[in-house]
Amino acid sequence: MQHGIRKLLLLGAGHAHVHVLAELARHRPADLDVTLLTPFAYQTYSGMTPGFVAGHYTEAECQIPLEPLVLAAGVRWVQGRCTGIDATARRVPWAPAGPPAANATALPYDLLSIDTGAVLDRRRLDVDMPGASTHALIVRPIESFAQRWPQVMDMARNRPLSIAVIGAGAAGLELLFAAEHAVRTQGMPGSRFTLVTGGADVAGNYPPGVQQRVLHQLRRRDVTLLRDSCTGLQAGAVQLGSGATLACDVAILAIGTHAPPWLQGSGLALADTGHILVNAHQQSTSHPEVFAAGDVASRADTPHPKSGVYAVRAGPPLAHNLLAAHHGKPLKPHHPPRHTLNLLSCGPGHAIASWGPLHVEGGWAWRWKDRIDRGFMARYRASPAAMRR
Ligand SMILES: Cc1cc2nc3c(=O)[nH]c(=O)nc-3n(C[C@H](O)[C@H](O)[C@H](O)COP(=O)(O)OP(=O)(O)OC[C@H]3O[C@@H](n4cnc5c(N)ncnc54)[C@H](O)[C@@H]3O)c2cc1C
């Protein structure tokens, strides 16, 4: 390391890190050498992915290209995935996103920031639902899901399909409504849709009023509701906890996510769930030179749901604290909001809006969500010159 130069390593280009990159584009200290390790040349915005499935957006409209951001910020981009962290040696082993390369030596850091999101761990899935990694269309990584979705639409244009969505949380519901809309408007008539709830309430994280609205929307679209769990998948079938078999052409798996397995053995303090335990500064509770935000982290002081809204909100305080840590200045606490605005899209330009116990729905709620999502994208798709202003 050159004298006085410190190495900041950013893992993942998640919601909080695109803001960190934009801040670095505005002002990167000359004595801070920054590397970004992330597998894709773009960051897919999950909030718009159901709109892509529904046919409202192109795939490119849901992506933030990273090249303009890293160029403007003077950041080195390494295209790959971390495979672990050695928090004692301050090094990150990684693997290239493409074919294996001989020179993938561990990346050193003085400061580390992690925003790699949560995962659907294939090994755990195959234990709980044998056959899942082979036969399900899994929503994470979201980039792979988005790449495979057009194949489903090609099938739907040739024959009616039976589509099952496993998971009745916000992601599963939005994808179900979006798929139903796309297949009904662009596919052969006669396709059928089933929601497998896992035995849990539909939209279980939402207040009862929102749940009722979701159930109404499911009935309007003639979606079959199975309050049953998925215990395995085969080609063309979902095995259910009741012992029944659900025949289907496509099974979309959108159940709750896991912490990345590569965090085990990192030496970082982890929550019981395996996520990185952070304090009010988004700083590891065990290693002050490590910061984390988004779905990969868990706040030790104020646990909050894992969602894109919280990951976005953590961006500005994370950027501030990384630079403060570099300059040896005091860190600022981040206070995540108690309630966030939730806009659940229901397919054909309709959404249910909720904030705490309050809820309403309509076409205007969908247009509101569309405006917020496009506004978020526009902020990080600006030209490098605009970013520096
Ligand atoms: C279909 C769907 C719709 C959703 N809609 C909403 C919504 O409307 N509102 C909402 O609040 N939440 C929504 N969510 C949840 C939201 O997607 C997540 O909470 C959010 O993406 C978390 O952001 P993040 O920054 O933690 O990580 P991510 O957005 O997942 O970003 C992670 C980044 O890290 C990279 N990465 C991954 N692994 C590695 C690795 N090993 N090494 C290096 N880089 C890596 C990825 O390529 C990516 O760039 C939705 C989820 C889904 C699946």
Side-chain angles (χ1 to χ4, degrees), residues 328-373:
K329 291 190 174 158
L331 307 180
K332 272 193 195 156
H334 168 47
H335 304 291
R338 189 150 156 254
H339 297 303
T340 57
L341 173 67
N342 291 302
L343 292 157
L344 192 87
S345 57
C346 302
H350 185 94
I352 301 169
S354 60
W355 192 85
L358 310 174
H359 47 91
V360 280
E361 66 184 300
W364 62 270
W366 188 89
R367 290 189 293 278
W368 191 13
K369 174 172 167 53
D370 178 58
R371 223 177 15 253
I372 292 173
D373 288 343

Side-chain angles (χ1 to χ4, degrees), residues 12-15 37 39 43 46 81-82 115-117 140 294-295 307-309:
H15 292 61
L37 174 69
Q43 167 64 6
S46 56
R81 296 174 183 278
C82 59
D115 182 17
T116 54
R140 292 205 174 267
D295 285 5
S307 80
V309 176

Side-chain angles (χ1 to χ4, degrees), residues 10-17 37-40 42-50 66 80-83 115-119 139-143 145 170-172 174-175 254 260 262 293-297 306-312 340-344 369 373:
L10 304 174
L11 302 184
H15 292 61
H17 273 180
L37 174 69
T38 199
F40 297 100
Y42 50 84
Q43 167 64 6
T44 298
Y45 182 44
S46 56
M48 288 171 76
T49 302
L66 296 177
R81 296 174 183 278
C82 59
T83 53
D115 182 17
T116 54
V119 299
V139 296
R140 292 205 174 267
I142 205 152
E143 295 82 2
F145 173 81
E174 285 201 317
L175 289 175
W262 47 259
D295 285 5
V296 75
K306 303 213 181 305
S307 80
V309 176
Y310 282 99
V312 167
T340 57
L341 173 67
N342 291 302
L343 292 157
L344 192 87
K369 174 172 167 53
D373 288 343

Side-chain angles (χ1 to χ4, degrees), residues 16-53:
H17 273 180
V18 287
H19 188 85
V20 171
L21 289 170
E23 277 303 308
L24 290 170
R26 270 185 275 276
H27 172 67
R28 179 176 57 80
D31 57 352
L32 188 62
D33 171 84
V34 189
T35 300
L36 169 70
L37 174 69
T38 199
F40 297 100
Y42 50 84
Q43 167 64 6
T44 298
Y45 182 44
S46 56
M48 288 171 76
T49 302
F52 160 69
V53 167

Side-chain angles (χ1 to χ4, degrees), residues 15 48 63 65 87 93 112 126 143 148 157 160 168-169 172 227 254 283 293 309 332:
H15 292 61
M48 288 171 76
Q63 295 171 341
L112 177 68
D126 280 341
E143 295 82 2
R148 289 179 64 190
R157 286 186 193 98
R227 294 183 190 274
Q283 182 184 35
V309 176
K332 272 193 195 156

